[in-house]
Coordinates of all heavy atoms in Angstrom, one line a residue:
M687 N 78.9 63.5 14.6 CA 77.7 62.7 14.8 C 77.6 62.2 16.2 O 76.6 61.7 16.6 CB 77.6 61.6 13.8 CG 77.2 61.9 12.5 SD 76.9 60.5 11.4 CE 78.4 60.6 10.4
G688 N 78.7 62.2 16.9 CA 78.8 61.6 18.3 C 77.8 62.3 19.2 O 77.5 61.7 20.3
S689 N 77.3 63.5 19.0 CA 76.4 64.1 19.9 C 74.9 63.7 19.7 O 74.1 64.0 20.5 CB 76.5 65.6 19.7 OG 76.0 66.0 18.5
V690 N 74.6 63.0 18.6 CA 73.3 62.5 18.3 C 73.0 61.2 19.1 O 73.8 60.3 18.9 CB 73.0 62.3 16.8 CG1 71.6 61.8 16.6 CG2 73.2 63.7 16.1
C691 N 72.0 61.2 19.9 CA 71.7 60.0 20.7 C 70.4 59.4 20.1 O 69.4 60.0 19.8 CB 71.4 60.5 22.1 SG 70.9 59.1 23.2
I692 N 70.5 58.1 19.9 CA 69.5 57.3 19.3 C 69.1 56.2 20.2 O 69.9 55.5 20.8 CB 69.9 56.7 17.9 CG1 70.2 57.8 16.9 CG2 68.8 55.8 17.4 CD1 70.8 57.3 15.6
E693 N 67.8 56.0 20.4 CA 67.3 54.9 21.2 C 66.6 53.9 20.3 O 65.7 54.3 19.5 CB 66.2 55.4 22.3 CG 65.7 54.3 23.1 CD 64.7 54.7 24.2 OE1 64.3 55.9 24.2 OE2 64.3 53.8 25.0
I694 N 67.0 52.6 20.4 CA 66.4 51.6 19.6 C 65.5 50.8 20.6 O 66.0 50.2 21.6 CB 67.4 50.6 19.0 CG1 68.3 51.4 18.1 CG2 66.8 49.5 18.3 CD1 69.5 50.7 17.6
I695 N 64.2 50.7 20.3 CA 63.3 49.9 21.1 C 62.7 48.8 20.2 O 61.9 49.0 19.3 CB 62.1 50.8 21.6 CG1 62.6 52.0 22.3 CG2 61.2 50.0 22.5 CD1 61.6 53.1 22.5
E696 N 63.3 47.6 20.4 CA 63.0 46.5 19.5 C 62.9 45.2 20.3 O 63.9 44.9 21.0 CB 64.1 46.4 18.4 CG 64.1 45.2 17.5 CD 62.8 45.0 16.7 OE1 62.4 45.9 16.0 OE2 62.2 43.9 16.9
G697 N 61.9 44.4 20.1 CA 61.7 43.2 20.8 C 62.6 42.1 20.4 O 63.0 41.2 21.1
N698 N 63.0 42.1 19.1 CA 63.9 41.1 18.5 C 65.3 41.4 18.8 O 65.9 42.4 18.3 CB 63.6 41.0 17.0 CG 64.5 40.0 16.3 OD1 65.7 39.8 16.7 ND2 63.9 39.3 15.3
P699 N 66.0 40.6 19.7 CA 67.3 40.9 20.1 C 68.3 41.0 19.0 O 69.3 41.8 19.0 CB 67.7 39.8 21.1 CG 66.7 38.7 20.8 CD 65.5 39.3 20.3
H700 N 68.2 40.2 17.9 CA 69.1 40.1 16.8 C 69.0 41.4 16.0 O 70.0 42.0 15.6 CB 68.9 38.9 15.9 CG 69.0 37.6 16.7 ND1 70.2 37.2 17.2 CD2 68.1 36.7 17.0 CE1 70.0 36.1 17.8 NE2 68.8 35.7 17.7
L701 N 67.7 41.8 15.7 CA 67.5 43.1 14.9 C 68.0 44.3 15.7 O 68.6 45.2 15.2 CB 66.0 43.2 14.5 CG 65.7 44.4 13.7 CD1 66.5 44.5 12.5 CD2 64.2 44.4 13.4
R702 N 67.7 44.3 17.0 CA 68.1 45.4 17.9 C 69.6 45.5 17.9 O 70.1 46.6 17.7 CB 67.5 45.2 19.3 CG 67.8 46.3 20.3 CD 67.2 46.1 21.6 NE 67.7 44.9 22.3 CZ 67.0 43.8 22.6 NH1 65.7 43.7 22.3 NH2 67.6 42.8 23.2
S703 N 70.3 44.4 18.1 CA 71.7 44.4 18.1 C 72.3 44.9 16.7 O 73.3 45.7 16.7 CB 72.2 43.0 18.4 OG 73.6 43.0 18.5
L704 N 71.8 44.4 15.7 CA 72.3 44.7 14.3 C 72.1 46.2 14.0 O 73.0 46.9 13.6 CB 71.6 43.9 13.3 CG 72.0 44.1 11.8 CD1 73.5 43.6 11.7 CD2 71.1 43.3 10.9
L705 N 70.9 46.7 14.3 CA 70.7 48.2 14.1 C 71.6 49.0 15.0 O 72.2 50.0 14.5 CB 69.2 48.5 14.5 CG 68.1 48.1 13.5 CD1 66.8 48.3 14.2 CD2 68.2 48.9 12.3
G706 N 71.8 48.6 16.2 CA 72.7 49.3 17.1 C 74.1 49.3 16.7 O 74.8 50.3 16.7
W707 N 74.6 48.2 16.2 CA 75.9 48.0 15.7 C 76.2 49.0 14.5 O 77.2 49.7 14.5 CB 76.3 46.6 15.4 CG 77.7 46.4 15.0 CD1 78.7 46.2 15.8 CD2 78.2 46.4 13.6 NE1 79.9 46.1 15.0 CE2 79.6 46.2 13.7 CE3 77.6 46.6 12.4 CZ2 80.4 46.2 12.6 CZ3 78.4 46.5 11.2 CH2 79.8 46.3 11.4
H708 N 75.3 48.9 13.6 CA 75.5 49.8 12.4 C 75.5 51.3 12.7 O 76.3 52.0 12.2 CB 74.4 49.5 11.3 CG 74.7 48.2 10.5 ND1 75.7 48.2 9.6 CD2 74.2 47.0 10.6 CE1 75.7 47.0 9.1 NE2 74.8 46.2 9.7
L709 N 74.6 51.7 13.6 CA 74.5 53.1 14.0 C 75.8 53.5 14.8 O 76.3 54.6 14.6 CB 73.3 53.4 14.8 CG 72.0 53.3 14.0 CD1 70.8 53.3 14.9 CD2 71.9 54.4 13.0
Q710 N 76.3 52.6 15.6 CA 77.5 52.9 16.4 C 78.7 53.0 15.4 O 79.6 53.8 15.7 CB 77.8 51.8 17.4 CG 76.8 51.9 18.6 CD 76.9 50.7 19.6 OE1 77.3 49.6 19.2 NE2 76.5 51.0 20.8
Q711 N 78.7 52.2 14.4 CA 79.8 52.3 13.4 C 79.8 53.7 12.7 O 80.9 54.2 12.3 CB 79.7 51.2 12.3 CG 79.8 49.8 12.8 CD 81.1 49.6 13.6 OE1 82.2 49.9 13.1 NE2 80.9 49.3 14.9
L712 N 78.7 54.3 12.7 CA 78.6 55.7 12.2 C 78.8 56.7 13.3 O 78.5 57.9 13.0 CB 77.2 55.9 11.5 CG 77.0 55.0 10.2 CD1 75.5 55.1 9.8 CD2 77.9 55.4 9.1
E713 N 79.2 56.3 14.4 CA 79.5 57.1 15.6 C 78.3 57.8 16.2 O 78.5 58.9 16.9 CB 80.6 58.1 15.2 CG 81.9 57.4 14.7 CD 83.0 58.4 14.4 OE1 82.9 59.6 14.7 OE2 84.0 57.9 14.0
Y714 N 77.1 57.2 16.1 CA 76.0 57.7 16.9 C 76.1 57.1 18.3 O 76.6 56.0 18.5 CB 74.7 57.3 16.2 CG 74.4 58.0 15.0 CD1 74.5 57.4 13.7 CD2 74.0 59.3 15.0 CE1 74.3 58.0 12.5 CE2 73.7 60.0 13.8 CZ 73.9 59.4 12.6 OH 73.6 60.0 11.4
R715 N 75.6 57.8 19.3 CA 75.4 57.2 20.6 C 74.1 56.5 20.6 O 73.1 57.0 20.3 CB 75.4 58.3 21.7 CG 76.7 59.0 21.9 CD 76.7 60.0 23.1 NE 75.8 61.1 22.7 CZ 74.8 61.5 23.5 NH1 74.6 61.0 24.7 NH2 74.0 62.5 23.1
V716 N 74.2 55.2 21.0 CA 73.0 54.3 20.8 C 72.7 53.7 22.2 O 73.6 53.2 22.9 CB 73.3 53.2 19.8 CG1 72.1 52.2 19.8 CG2 73.6 53.8 18.4
H717 N 71.4 53.7 22.5 CA 70.9 53.1 23.7 C 69.8 52.1 23.3 O 69.0 52.5 22.4 CB 70.4 54.1 24.7 CG 71.4 55.0 25.2 ND1 72.4 54.7 26.1 CD2 71.7 56.3 24.8 CE1 73.2 55.8 26.3 NE2 72.8 56.7 25.5
Q718 N 69.7 51.0 23.9 CA 68.8 49.9 23.4 C 67.8 49.5 24.5 O 68.2 49.5 25.7 CB 69.5 48.7 22.9 CG 70.5 49.0 21.7 CD 71.2 47.8 21.2 OE1 70.8 46.7 21.4 NE2 72.3 48.0 20.6
A719 N 66.6 49.2 24.1 CA 65.6 48.7 25.0 C 64.8 47.6 24.4 O 64.6 47.6 23.2 CB 64.7 49.8 25.5
A720 N 64.5 46.6 25.2 CA 63.7 45.4 24.6 C 62.2 45.5 25.0 O 61.5 44.6 24.5 CB 64.3 44.1 25.2
S721 N 61.8 46.4 25.8 CA 60.4 46.5 26.2 C 60.1 47.9 26.5 O 60.9 48.8 26.6 CB 60.3 45.7 27.6 OG 61.0 46.3 28.6
I722 N 58.8 48.1 26.6 CA 58.3 49.5 26.9 C 58.8 49.9 28.3 O 59.2 51.1 28.4 CB 56.7 49.5 26.8 CG1 56.3 49.3 25.4 CG2 56.2 50.8 27.4 CD1 54.8 49.2 25.2
Y723 N 58.8 49.1 29.2 CA 59.3 49.4 30.6 C 60.8 49.9 30.5 O 61.1 51.0 31.0 CB 59.2 48.2 31.5 CG 59.8 48.5 32.9 CD1 59.1 49.2 33.8 CD2 61.1 48.0 33.2 CE1 59.6 49.5 35.0 CE2 61.6 48.3 34.5 CZ 60.9 49.0 35.4 OH 61.4 49.3 36.6
Q724 N 61.6 49.2 29.8 CA 63.0 49.6 29.6 C 63.1 50.9 28.8 O 63.9 51.8 29.1 CB 63.8 48.5 28.9 CG 64.2 47.3 29.7 CD 65.0 46.3 28.9 OE1 64.8 46.3 27.7 NE2 65.8 45.5 29.6
A725 N 62.3 50.9 27.8 CA 62.3 52.1 26.8 C 62.0 53.4 27.6 O 62.6 54.4 27.3 CB 61.3 51.8 25.7
R726 N 61.0 53.4 28.4 CA 60.7 54.6 29.2 C 61.8 55.0 30.1 O 62.1 56.2 30.1 CB 59.4 54.3 30.0 CG 58.8 55.6 30.7 CD 57.5 55.3 31.3 NE 56.5 55.3 30.2 CZ 55.6 54.4 30.1 NH1 55.5 53.3 30.9 NH2 54.7 54.5 29.1
E727 N 62.5 54.1 30.7 CA 63.6 54.4 31.6 C 64.8 55.0 30.8 O 65.4 56.0 31.1 CB 64.1 53.2 32.4 CG 63.2 52.8 33.5 CD 63.7 51.6 34.3 OE1 64.8 51.1 34.0 OE2 63.0 51.2 35.2
V728 N 65.1 54.4 29.6 CA 66.2 54.8 28.8 C 65.8 56.2 28.2 O 66.7 57.1 28.2 CB 66.4 53.8 27.6 CG1 67.3 54.4 26.6 CG2 67.0 52.5 28.1
F729 N 64.6 56.4 27.8 CA 64.2 57.7 27.2 C 64.4 58.8 28.3 O 64.9 59.9 28.0 CB 62.8 57.7 26.7 CG 62.3 59.0 26.2 CD1 62.7 59.3 24.9 CD2 61.6 59.9 26.9 CE1 62.3 60.6 24.4 CE2 61.3 61.1 26.4 CZ 61.6 61.5 25.1
L730 N 63.9 58.6 29.5 CA 63.9 59.6 30.5 C 65.4 59.9 31.0 O 65.7 61.0 31.3 CB 63.1 59.2 31.7 CG 61.5 59.2 31.4 CD1 60.8 58.6 32.6 CD2 61.0 60.6 31.0
S731 N 66.2 58.9 30.9 CA 67.6 59.0 31.3 C 68.5 59.7 30.3 O 69.4 60.5 30.6 CB 68.3 57.7 31.6 OG 67.6 57.0 32.6
H732 N 68.2 59.5 29.0 CA 69.1 59.9 27.9 C 68.6 60.9 27.0 O 69.3 61.5 26.2 CB 69.7 58.7 27.1 CG 70.4 57.7 28.0 ND1 71.7 58.0 28.4 CD2 70.1 56.5 28.5 CE1 72.1 57.0 29.2 NE2 71.1 56.1 29.2
Q733 N 67.3 61.1 27.0 CA 66.6 62.1 26.1 C 67.1 62.0 24.7 O 67.7 63.0 24.1 CB 66.8 63.5 26.6 CG 66.2 63.8 28.0 CD 64.7 63.7 28.0 OE1 64.0 64.4 27.2 NE2 64.1 62.8 28.8
P734 N 66.9 60.9 24.0 CA 67.4 60.7 22.6 C 66.8 61.7 21.6 O 65.7 62.2 21.8 CB 67.0 59.3 22.3 CG 65.9 59.0 23.1 CD 66.1 59.8 24.4
T735 N 67.6 62.0 20.6 CA 67.1 62.8 19.5 C 66.2 62.0 18.5 O 65.3 62.6 18.0 CB 68.4 63.3 18.7 OG1 69.3 63.9 19.6 CG2 68.0 64.3 17.6
L736 N 66.5 60.7 18.4 CA 65.7 59.9 17.5 C 65.4 58.6 18.3 O 66.2 58.0 18.9 CB 66.6 59.5 16.2 CG 66.0 58.4 15.3 CD1 64.7 58.9 14.7 CD2 67.0 58.0 14.3
V737 N 64.2 58.1 18.1 CA 63.7 56.9 18.7 C 63.3 56.0 17.5 O 62.5 56.3 16.7 CB 62.6 57.0 19.6 CG1 62.0 55.7 20.1 CG2 63.0 57.9 20.8
I738 N 63.9 54.8 17.4 CA 63.6 53.8 16.4 C 62.7 52.8 17.2 O 63.2 52.1 18.2 CB 64.8 53.1 15.8 CG1 65.6 54.1 15.1 CG2 64.3 52.0 14.9 CD1 66.9 53.6 14.5
L739 N 61.4 52.7 16.9 CA 60.4 52.0 17.7 C 59.8 50.8 16.9 O 59.2 51.1 15.9 CB 59.4 53.0 18.2 CG 58.2 52.5 19.0 CD1 58.6 51.9 20.3 CD2 57.3 53.7 19.2
D740 N 59.8 49.7 17.5 CA 59.1 48.5 17.0 C 57.6 48.7 17.4 O 57.3 49.0 18.6 CB 59.7 47.2 17.6 CG 59.0 46.0 17.1 OD1 58.2 46.0 16.2 OD2 59.4 44.9 17.6
A741 N 56.7 48.4 16.5 CA 55.3 48.5 16.8 C 54.8 47.4 17.7 O 53.8 47.5 18.5 CB 54.4 48.5 15.6
D742 N 55.5 46.2 17.7 CA 55.1 45.1 18.5 C 56.1 44.8 19.5 O 57.2 44.2 19.2 CB 54.8 43.8 17.6 CG 53.7 44.1 16.6 OD1 52.6 44.4 17.1 OD2 53.9 43.9 15.4
L743 N 55.8 45.1 20.8 CA 56.8 44.8 21.9 C 56.2 43.8 22.8 O 55.0 43.6 22.9 CB 57.1 46.1 22.6 CG 57.8 47.2 21.7 CD1 57.8 48.5 22.3 CD2 59.3 46.7 21.5
P744 N 57.1 43.1 23.5 CA 56.7 42.0 24.4 C 55.7 42.4 25.5 O 54.9 41.6 26.0 CB 57.9 41.4 24.9 CG 59.0 42.4 24.7 CD 58.6 43.2 23.6
D745 N 55.8 43.6 26.0 CA 55.0 44.0 27.1 C 54.0 45.1 26.8 O 53.5 45.8 27.7 CB 55.9 44.5 28.3 CG 56.7 45.7 27.9 OD1 56.9 46.0 26.7 OD2 57.3 46.3 28.9
G746 N 53.7 45.3 25.5 CA 52.7 46.3 25.2 C 52.7 46.7 23.7 O 53.5 46.2 22.9
D747 N 51.9 47.7 23.4 CA 51.7 48.2 22.0 C 52.7 49.3 21.7 O 52.6 50.4 22.4 CB 50.3 48.6 21.8 CG 49.9 49.0 20.4 OD1 50.8 48.9 19.5 OD2 48.8 49.5 20.2
G748 N 53.5 49.2 20.7 CA 54.5 50.2 20.4 C 53.8 51.5 19.9 O 54.3 52.6 20.1
I749 N 52.6 51.4 19.3 CA 51.9 52.6 18.9 C 51.4 53.4 20.1 O 51.5 54.6 20.1 CB 50.7 52.2 17.9 CG1 51.3 51.6 16.6 CG2 49.8 53.4 17.6 CD1 50.3 51.1 15.6
E750 N 50.9 52.7 21.1 CA 50.6 53.5 22.3 C 51.8 54.1 23.0 O 51.7 55.3 23.4 CB 49.9 52.5 23.4 CG 48.5 52.2 23.0 CD 47.6 53.4 23.0 OE1 47.7 54.3 23.9 OE2 46.8 53.5 22.0
F751 N 52.9 53.4 23.0 CA 54.2 54.0 23.5 C 54.6 55.2 22.6 O 55.1 56.2 23.1 CB 55.3 53.0 23.6 CG 56.5 53.5 24.2 CD1 56.5 53.8 25.6 CD2 57.7 53.8 23.5 CE1 57.6 54.3 26.2 CE2 58.8 54.3 24.2 CZ 58.8 54.5 25.5
C752 N 54.4 55.1 21.3 CA 54.7 56.2 20.4 C 53.9 57.5 20.8 O 54.4 58.6 20.8 CB 54.3 55.8 19.0 SG 54.7 57.1 17.8
R753 N 52.6 57.3 21.2 CA 51.8 58.4 21.7 C 52.4 59.1 22.9 O 52.4 60.3 23.1 CB 50.4 58.0 21.9 CG 49.7 57.7 20.6 CD 48.2 57.3 20.8 NE 47.6 57.0 19.6 CZ 47.2 55.7 19.2 NH1 47.3 54.7 20.1 NH2 46.6 55.5 18.1
W754 N 52.9 58.2 23.8 CA 53.5 58.7 25.1 C 54.8 59.5 24.7 O 55.0 60.6 25.3 CB 53.8 57.5 26.0 CG 54.5 57.9 27.3 CD1 53.9 58.4 28.4 CD2 55.9 58.0 27.5 NE1 54.9 58.7 29.3 CE2 56.1 58.5 28.8 CE3 57.1 57.7 26.7 CZ2 57.4 58.7 29.4 CZ3 58.3 57.9 27.3 CH2 58.5 58.4 28.6
L755 N 55.6 58.9 23.8 CA 56.8 59.6 23.4 C 56.5 61.0 22.8 O 57.1 62.0 23.1 CB 57.5 58.8 22.3 CG 58.4 57.7 22.8 CD1 58.8 56.9 21.5 CD2 59.6 58.2 23.5
H756 N 55.4 61.1 22.0 CA 55.1 62.3 21.4 C 54.7 63.4 22.4 O 54.9 64.6 22.2 CB 53.9 62.1 20.4 CG 53.6 63.3 19.6 ND1 54.4 63.8 18.6 CD2 52.5 64.1 19.6 CE1 53.9 64.8 18.0 NE2 52.7 65.1 18.6
R757 N 54.1 63.0 23.5 CA 53.7 63.9 24.6 C 55.0 64.4 25.4 O 54.8 65.3 26.2 CB 52.7 63.3 25.5 CG 51.3 63.1 24.9 CD 50.3 62.7 25.9 NE 50.6 61.5 26.6 CZ 50.2 60.3 26.2 NH1 49.6 60.1 25.1 NH2 50.5 59.2 26.9
Q758 N 56.1 63.7 25.2 CA 57.3 64.1 26.0 C 58.0 65.2 25.3 O 57.4 66.2 24.9 CB 58.2 62.8 26.2 CG 57.5 61.7 26.8 CD 56.8 62.0 28.1 OE1 57.4 62.6 29.0 NE2 55.5 61.7 28.2
Q759 N 59.3 65.1 25.0 CA 60.1 66.1 24.4 C 59.9 66.1 22.9 O 60.7 66.8 22.2 CB 61.5 65.9 24.8 CG 61.8 66.0 26.2 CD 61.4 67.3 26.8 OE1 61.7 68.3 26.2 NE2 60.8 67.3 28.0
Q760 N 59.0 65.3 22.3 CA 58.8 65.2 20.9 C 60.0 64.9 20.1 O 60.4 65.6 19.2 CB 58.1 66.4 20.4 CG 56.7 66.6 21.0 CD 55.9 67.7 20.3 OE1 56.2 68.2 19.3 NE2 54.8 68.0 20.9
P761 N 60.7 63.7 20.4 CA 61.8 63.3 19.6 C 61.3 62.9 18.2 O 60.1 62.7 18.0 CB 62.4 62.1 20.3 CG 61.1 61.5 21.0 CD 60.3 62.7 21.4
L762 N 62.2 62.8 17.3 CA 61.9 62.2 16.0 C 61.6 60.7 16.3 O 62.4 60.0 17.0 CB 63.1 62.3 15.0 CG 63.4 63.7 14.6 CD1 64.7 63.7 13.8 CD2 62.2 64.3 13.8
I763 N 60.6 60.1 15.6 CA 60.3 58.7 15.9 C 60.2 58.0 14.5 O 59.5 58.5 13.6 CB 58.9 58.6 16.6 CG1 59.0 59.3 17.9 CG2 58.6 57.1 16.8 CD1 57.6 59.5 18.5
L764 N 61.0 56.9 14.4 CA 60.9 56.0 13.2 C 60.3 54.7 13.7 O 60.8 54.0 14.5 CB 62.3 55.8 12.7 CG 62.5 54.8 11.6 CD1 61.7 55.3 10.3 CD2 63.9 54.6 11.3
M765 N 59.1 54.4 13.1 CA 58.4 53.2 13.5 C 58.7 52.1 12.6 O 58.7 52.2 11.4 CB 56.9 53.5 13.4 CG 56.0 52.4 13.8 SD 55.8 52.1 15.6 CE 54.9 53.5 16.1
L766 N 59.1 50.9 13.2 CA 59.3 49.7 12.5 C 58.2 48.8 12.8 O 57.7 48.7 13.9 CB 60.6 49.0 12.9 CG 61.9 49.8 12.8 CD1 63.1 49.0 13.3 CD2 62.2 50.2 11.3
S767 N 57.7 48.1 11.7 CA 56.6 47.2 12.0 C 56.4 46.2 10.9 O 56.7 46.4 9.7 CB 55.3 48.0 12.0 OG 54.2 47.1 12.3
A768 N 56.0 45.0 11.3 CA 55.7 43.9 10.3 C 54.2 44.0 10.0 O 53.7 43.3 9.1 CB 56.0 42.6 10.9
R769 N 53.5 44.9 10.7 CA 52.0 45.1 10.5 C 51.8 45.7 9.1 O 52.6 46.6 8.7 CB 51.4 46.0 11.5 CG 51.5 45.5 12.9 CD 50.9 46.5 13.9 NE 51.1 46.1 15.2 CZ 50.6 46.8 16.3 NH1 49.9 47.9 16.1 NH2 50.8 46.4 17.5
N770 N 50.8 45.2 8.3 CA 50.7 45.7 7.0 C 49.2 46.1 6.6 O 48.9 46.3 5.5 CB 51.3 44.8 6.0 CG 50.6 43.4 6.0 OD1 49.7 43.2 6.7 ND2 51.2 42.5 5.2
S771 N 48.3 46.1 7.6 CA 47.0 46.4 7.3 C 46.9 48.0 7.2 O 47.7 48.7 7.7 CB 46.0 45.9 8.3 OG 46.1 46.7 9.5
E772 N 45.9 48.4 6.4 CA 45.8 49.9 6.2 C 45.5 50.6 7.6 O 46.1 51.6 7.8 CB 44.6 50.1 5.2 CG 44.5 51.6 4.9 CD 43.4 51.8 3.9 OE1 42.9 50.9 3.2 OE2 42.9 53.0 3.8
A773 N 44.7 50.0 8.4 CA 44.4 50.6 9.7 C 45.7 50.7 10.6 O 45.9 51.7 11.2 CB 43.4 49.7 10.5
D774 N 46.6 49.7 10.5 CA 47.8 49.8 11.3 C 48.8 50.8 10.7 O 49.4 51.6 11.4 CB 48.6 48.4 11.3 CG 47.9 47.4 12.2 OD1 47.3 47.8 13.2 OD2 47.9 46.2 11.9
I775 N 48.8 50.9 9.4 CA 49.7 51.9 8.8 C 49.2 53.3 9.1 O 50.0 54.2 9.5 CB 49.7 51.7 7.2 CG1 50.4 50.4 6.9 CG2 50.4 52.9 6.5 CD1 50.3 49.9 5.5
V776 N 47.9 53.6 9.1 CA 47.3 54.9 9.4 C 47.6 55.2 10.9 O 48.0 56.3 11.2 CB 45.8 54.9 9.1 CG1 45.2 56.2 9.6 CG2 45.6 54.9 7.6
A777 N 47.4 54.2 11.8 CA 47.6 54.4 13.2 C 49.1 54.8 13.5 O 49.4 55.6 14.3 CB 47.2 53.2 14.0
G778 N 50.0 54.1 12.7 CA 51.4 54.4 12.9 C 51.8 55.7 12.4 O 52.6 56.4 13.0

């Protein structure tokens, strides 16, 4: 599993750290970002296989960033969100 690279993009530092720790225990390579700005740099530097993405980030909309990711190398994307409206679910 050590060859699989995962990027965690999460605004909540506690959740980001917890997710990262658990994935590292399973021997995944994990890179973390707290904002869209950091996330873009990490993505371009490490080309992760999977991106775990928070829909609400401090510097922008995670769904818009998801669209940007999809236009790149098309990694697998797992969206995390506290949003629960039908429109948000469909957009995600």
Side-chain angles (χ1 to χ4, degrees):
M687 280 187 258
S689 65
V690 175
C691 180
I692 299 174
E693 179 179 8
I694 300 170
I695 308 165
E696 170 61 55
N698 179 321
H700 302 294
L701 181 55
R702 185 175 63 245
S703 178
L704 184 63
L705 286 170
W707 184 83
H708 281 286
L709 291 168
Q710 287 171 335
Q711 296 307 302
L712 296 170
E713 300 183 5
Y714 290 105
R715 288 184 298 126
V716 176
H717 301 279
Q718 299 180 24
S721 66
I722 290 174
Y723 176 77
Q724 287 178 333
R726 188 171 282 130
E727 288 183 359
V728 169
F729 180 82
L730 294 172
S731 298
H732 299 285
Q733 297 294 306
T735 307
L736 171 67
V737 175
I738 300 174
L739 176 61
D740 182 7
D742 295 306
L743 294 164
D745 62 342
D747 184 7
I749 293 175
E750 284 300 316
F751 187 69
C752 183
R753 290 184 182 112
W754 179 85
L755 281 170
H756 188 71
R757 290 189 303 269
Q758 305 309 305
Q759 301 298 321
Q760 297 191 10
L762 295 172
I763 302 167
L764 173 64
M765 179 77 70
L766 299 179
S767 179
R769 298 178 187 181
N770 60 5
S771 75
E772 184 176 343
D774 287 328
I775 293 168
V776 171

